[in-house]
Amino acid sequence: MARDGRPTEIFVSYSPADTAWATWIAWELEAAGYRTMIQAWDFVPGTNFIDFMDRGVSEAQLVVAVLSRNYLTSRYGRLEWQAALRADPDNPSNKLVTIRLEDVQLEGLLSTITWVDLLGVTDSGQARALSRGRTSGSR
């Protein structure tokens, strides 16, 4: 459940090193009317991190994975995107959207998902349009 008690629509999966980008993405999605779950806002000290991570991935209609070098080496990031991919293996984009922040080489199953490319985007309006455009199908 999102902070306001309504069901989570989008779970934002990211590496803590990318918190600034992840919170900006979540903020933009919330401003567009989506209910998000994100570690920076929802995982409070003293709670079970693994439980929140599991609920975020399983309850959300969509998982947004924020791709960076740090994310691709993150054990928990890998678990989150893999769980989202398994939710709909015939059409993974129904559950998993990836947003690329850095020029990273995607391999294996993750390379089959079309990403939103924010690499080199410096205009916040363009970044907003790209991010919102790809996630709008989750409703």
Side-chain angles (χ1 to χ4, degrees), residues 62 84-97 109 112-113 134:
L62 187 71
L85 192 68
R86 279 191 300 276
D88 192 348
D90 292 330
N91 192 356
S93 62
N94 281 341
K95 180 73 174 187
L96 180 63
V97 168
L109 295 174
T112 65
I113 308 297
R134 183 66 174 91

Side-chain angles (χ1 to χ4, degrees), residues 14-67:
Y14 65 100
S15 164
D18 302 315
T19 298
W21 267 109
T23 56
W24 179 83
I25 290 166
W27 177 262
E28 290 297 329
L29 293 169
E30 294 254 340
Y34 294 97
R35 295 292 163 244
T36 65
M37 181 184 281
I38 179 170
Q39 178 180 351
W41 299 340
D42 299 301
F43 295 19
V44 297
T47 57
N48 184 329
F49 171 79
I50 300 296
D51 180 53
F52 269 93
M53 187 174 71
D54 181 55
R55 285 192 303 128
V57 172
S58 61
E59 292 177 7
Q61 296 169 14
L62 187 71
V63 173
V64 171
V66 182
L67 303 178

